[in-house]
């Protein structure tokens, strides 16, 4: 029998089709956690077309490095400064 996997990411889960003896509850410690992770990722941008739309992305602060994302507010402030000091 094939190893069961989570529906979105295909993460491996423990095969429970035959009885085994375990000292911990692997369903709780592994499978349920995998399902929770899988469900959380399912609501994000799909891996085959990672496009964000709407107002779901919130940036925590202004950019502090060259490749950081910038908020609309920060960009507009930079444009205002540039216009203020432009010759």
């Amino acid at each position: 029998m094939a190893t069961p996997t989570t529906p979105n990411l295909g993460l491996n889960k423990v095969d429970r089709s035959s009885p085994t003896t375990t000292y911990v509850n692997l369903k709780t410690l592994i499978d349920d956690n995998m399902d929770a992770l899988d469900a959380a990722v399912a609501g994000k941008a799909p891996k085959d077309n990672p496009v964000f739309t709407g107002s779901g992305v919130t940036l925590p602060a202004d950019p502090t490095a060259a490749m950081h994302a910038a908020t609309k507010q920060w960009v507009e402030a930079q444009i205002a400064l540039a216009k203020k000091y432009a010759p």
Side-chain angles (χ1 to χ4, degrees):
M1 178 172 210
T3 302
T5 58
T6 58
N8 295 302
L9 296 178
L11 301 171
N12 290 323
K13 294 171 52 171
V14 175
D15 184 359
R16 302 217 186 282
S17 61
S18 63
T20 59
T21 303
T22 60
Y23 295 102
V24 295
N25 186 341
L26 293 176
K27 181 177 183 333
T28 300
L29 296 176
I30 296 175
D31 296 352
D32 291 350
N33 289 337
M34 293 284 192
D35 289 338
L37 174 64
D38 201 54
V41 171
K44 307 300 180 202
K47 63 184 177 183
D48 59 338
N49 185 18
V51 176
F52 291 97
T53 60
S55 59
V57 179
T58 302
L59 301 174
D62 290 342
T64 57
M67 295 302 292
H68 283 180
T71 63
K72 181 178 183 289
Q73 177 182 353
W74 184 85
V75 171
E76 288 174 348
Q78 299 307 305
I79 291 170
L81 281 173
K83 288 180 179 179
K84 179 178 179 181
Y85 294 107

